[in-house]
């Protein structure tokens, strides 16, 4: 068991293994997303209250879910890197942050587009989910800004790991306080909790989209981690053999 | 067909959401590939330069 | 005998030594202490000028304005929390001392609150009166501000420790700390607004007290870890 992890965390082994996994993740993600898009746009029945506008759920919810997931991945791997000093996990944290920021942006943008026909406004402060997504985006910006501000890469890894962990402790508190804050006004949420049960013909495309987005995210993340690993290991022997295979001296 | 694309007058919102998602995903893929290529290239030139020095 | 006492690493002695030293330094350089206060007063003046002088408008926006101004003012002084110690080398002494580092970072945060937070709380009634706040609301505001500024000093000490030695200064620190400080702002400002509307305020006050306790227990450790990392 431990030797497996040890081997996985070794940069050259990970670099090769990730290259094998990326096409599988990409194909699986593409298949799920293709099914989810077609079924969600054309075969799922229109919502009885929101009409066809509800179909935005099929991109909004996966993006929002992955924006949280990416922060979890970032914080957990940052913590692992801090405690067990595994260099690979710092590379994962560094690679997850910009992707997470992009998915957060996507969740915000689609939520805003969805809000326009439903609430009659592009931005509704009363919706706790949109507001917490916005704060989430700021957390990602802070993390990336701190990383960019520190020149020494090892120091940047550790300092940003502390920030990611502090953020992870605070995220539930932020969500809770934003919920409380908006519950004092008239709540205007898109997805009503305890509302009418969602039909399976609506639900299956959504699940497919969530799976598909997760696989695509996995492929993107592995690709970025590979780039990080390559750059971080640029002075090592295996990178030497990798970039100069013909002239290599083994 | 046109009726399907119109999405009950919500077409602009639905299609712009899906289009934006597609653009961001494709941009992420392209950016990732480009970054990997440029890092690979930089590492290679660096190693070549060191090689010729020694 | 004196040496024996000095060599005993008593946790409280290190704590009080740091607090006493920081307060003495602030006393010698009153500008550090007064600037955030002036900033607080000026930001609070900007809002009526920008929004308009009607009594209803002022009474409505008062709690939010006071809280935003307090948040920005305490953020302004956070940048210097470890900076002067870093520059004159006393930060190295803190790191090398036999005292547990979290206790010393807690002392730094507490003295920052005594220097920057407490004066703000004491001055806030003056601002509140100009916003037509009734006496009960002012009381609630001072209680929430006390917990809130304490939490901000602790939370901010993490950010200050992470950015110490970087020349990016306040902008980066604000980017790191402001998103994390939003629960404090939300509960602080809303509780004062609810007090102004004669609603029950205990929920908000309890939350702020609980958040302050959480930060008192967690922040010193995170700050200590961050300080060690930035000074490797």
């Amino acid at each position: 068991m431990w030797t497996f992890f040890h081997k996985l965390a070794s940069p050259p082994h990970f670099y090769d293994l990730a290259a094998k996994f990326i096409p599988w993740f990409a194909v699986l993600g593409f298949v799920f997303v293709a099914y989810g898009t077609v079924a969600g746009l054309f075969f799922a029945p229109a919502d009885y209250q929101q009409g066809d506008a509800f179909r935005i759920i099929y991109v909004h919810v996966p993006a929002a879910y992955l924006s949280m997931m990416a922060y979890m991945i970032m914080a957990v791997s940052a913590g692992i890197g801090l405690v067990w000093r595994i260099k690979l996990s710092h590379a994962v944290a560094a690679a997850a942050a910009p992707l997470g920021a992009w998915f957060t942006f996507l969740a915000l943008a689609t939520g805003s587009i969805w809000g326009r026909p439903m609430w009659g406004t592009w931005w509704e402060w009363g919706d706790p989910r949109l507001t917490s997504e916005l704060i989430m985006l700021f957390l990602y910006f802070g993390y990336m800004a701190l990383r960019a501000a520190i020149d020494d890469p090892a120091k940047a890894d550790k300092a940003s790991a502390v920030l990611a962990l502090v953020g992870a402790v605070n995220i539930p508190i932020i969500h809770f306080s934003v919920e409380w804050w908006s519950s004092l006004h008239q709540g205007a949420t898109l997805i009503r909790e305890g509302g009418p049960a969602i039909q399976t013909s609506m639900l299956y495309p959504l699940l497919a989209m969530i799976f598909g987005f997760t696989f695509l995210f996995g492929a993107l993340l592995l690709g970025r981690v590979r780039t990080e690993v390559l750059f971080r290991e640029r002075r090592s022997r295996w990178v030497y053999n990798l970039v100069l295979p013909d002239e290599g001296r083994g | 067909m046109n009726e399907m694309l119109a999405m009950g007058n919500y077409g602009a919102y639905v299609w712009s959401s899906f289009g934006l998602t597609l653009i961001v995903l494709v941009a992420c893929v392209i950016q990732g590939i480009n970054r990997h290529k440029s890092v690979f290239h930089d590492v290679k030139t660096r190693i070549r330069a060191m090689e010729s020095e020694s | 005998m004196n040496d024996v006492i000095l060599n005993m690493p008593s946790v409280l002695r290190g704590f009080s030594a740091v607090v006493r030293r920081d307060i003495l330094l602030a006393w010698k350089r009153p500008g550090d202490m007064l600037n955030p206060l002036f900033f607080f007063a000026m930001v609070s003046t900007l809002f009526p000028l920008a929004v308009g002088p009607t009594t209803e408008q002022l009474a409505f926006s008062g709690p939010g304005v006071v809280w935003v101004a307090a948040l920005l003012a305490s953020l302004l002084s956070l940048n210097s929390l470890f900076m002067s110690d870093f520059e004159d080398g006393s930060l190295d002494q803190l790191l090398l001392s036999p005292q547990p580092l979290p206790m010393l970072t807690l002392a730094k945060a507490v003295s920052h609150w005594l220097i920057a937070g407490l004066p703000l709380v004491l001055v806030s009634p003056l601002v509140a009166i100009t916003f037509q706040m009734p006496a009960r609301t002012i009381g609630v505001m001072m209680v929430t501000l006390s917990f809130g500024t304490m939490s901000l000093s602790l939370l901010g000490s993490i950010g200050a420790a992470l950015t110490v030695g970087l020349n990016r200064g306040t902008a980066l620190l604000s980017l790191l700390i402001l998103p994390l400080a939003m629960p404090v702002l939300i509960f602080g400002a809303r509780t004062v607004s609810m007090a102004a509307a004669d609603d029950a305020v205990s929920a908000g006050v309890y939350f702020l007290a609980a958040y302050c306790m959480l930060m008192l227990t967690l922040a010193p450790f995170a700050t200590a870890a961050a300080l060690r990392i930035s000074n490797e």
Side-chain angles (χ1 to χ4, degrees), chain C residues 11-226:
Chain C
V11 172
L12 280 178
R13 189 173 300 127
F15 180 87
S16 65
V18 170
V19 172
R20 249 183 294 145
R21 170 178 161 276
D22 277 10
I23 289 173
L24 191 66
L25 277 175
W27 195 254
K28 292 271 162 71
R29 277 182 308 187
D32 288 359
M33 201 163 139
L34 290 176
N35 285 348
L37 283 184
F38 289 139
F39 181 82
F40 175 61
M42 278 178 208
V43 171
S44 316
T45 317
L46 290 179
F47 274 86
L49 292 177
V51 172
T54 10
T55 313
E56 301 88 66
Q57 276 175 336
L58 289 183
F60 184 71
S61 58
V65 171
V66 171
W67 258 94
V68 170
L71 182 67
L72 294 178
S74 54
L75 201 67
L76 189 72
S77 54
L78 270 173
N79 196 29
S80 57
L81 184 57
F82 293 112
M83 199 50 98
S84 61
D85 288 355
F86 174 73
E87 278 161 358
D88 66 14
S90 45
L91 190 59
D92 293 329
Q93 299 299 319
L94 279 188
L95 289 168
L96 289 172
S97 87
Q99 300 275 349
L101 189 56
M103 204 62 190
L104 300 180
T105 56
L106 179 65
K108 290 294 289 185
V110 166
S111 53
H112 175 264
W113 182 71
L114 288 173
I115 294 161
L118 190 59
L120 218 89
V121 176
L122 296 177
V123 165
S124 63
L126 288 180
V127 175
I129 286 169
T130 68
F131 281 91
Q132 324 293 344
M133 258 187 223
R136 173 172 176 264
T137 317
I138 293 183
V140 173
M141 181 194 68
M142 288 179 77
V143 171
T144 57
L145 270 182
S146 314
F147 284 126
T149 48
M150 185 78 225
S151 311
L152 284 176
S153 292
L154 288 157
L155 194 60
S157 69
I158 305 173
L162 285 172
T163 54
V164 71
L166 301 175
N167 297 322
R168 302 307 199 289
T170 322
L172 178 62
L173 182 60
S174 318
L175 198 55
L176 302 188
I177 293 306
L178 277 179
L180 299 173
M182 281 186 195
V184 178
L185 176 76
I186 289 172
F187 273 91
R190 291 300 305 181
T191 305
V192 181
S193 302
M194 286 163 87
D198 274 332
D199 280 339
V201 294
S202 49
V205 173
Y206 286 152
F207 174 87
L208 285 168
Y211 190 81
C212 191
M213 290 303 135
L214 180 75
M215 281 298 133
L216 272 172
T217 46
L218 291 185
F221 293 96
T223 310

Side-chain angles (χ1 to χ4, degrees), chain B:
Chain B
M1 188 65 201
N2 270 340
E3 208 174 284
M4 246 182 171
L5 293 183
M7 292 285 167
N9 289 331
Y10 292 124
Y13 302 112
V14 174
W15 289 112
S16 60
S17 301
F18 276 76
L20 186 72
T21 307
L22 184 70
I23 291 171
V24 168
L25 283 179
V26 170
C28 277
V29 171
I30 291 175
Q31 194 202 5
I33 292 173
N34 278 348
R35 225 174 82 85
H36 192 83
K37 273 185 188 157
S38 81
V39 166
F40 196 95
H41 182 78
D42 287 353
V43 170
K44 197 169 184 171
T45 17
R46 238 184 69 98
I47 291 179
R48 278 253 169 79
M50 273 170 27
E51 195 79 332
S52 55
E53 265 171 39
S54 61

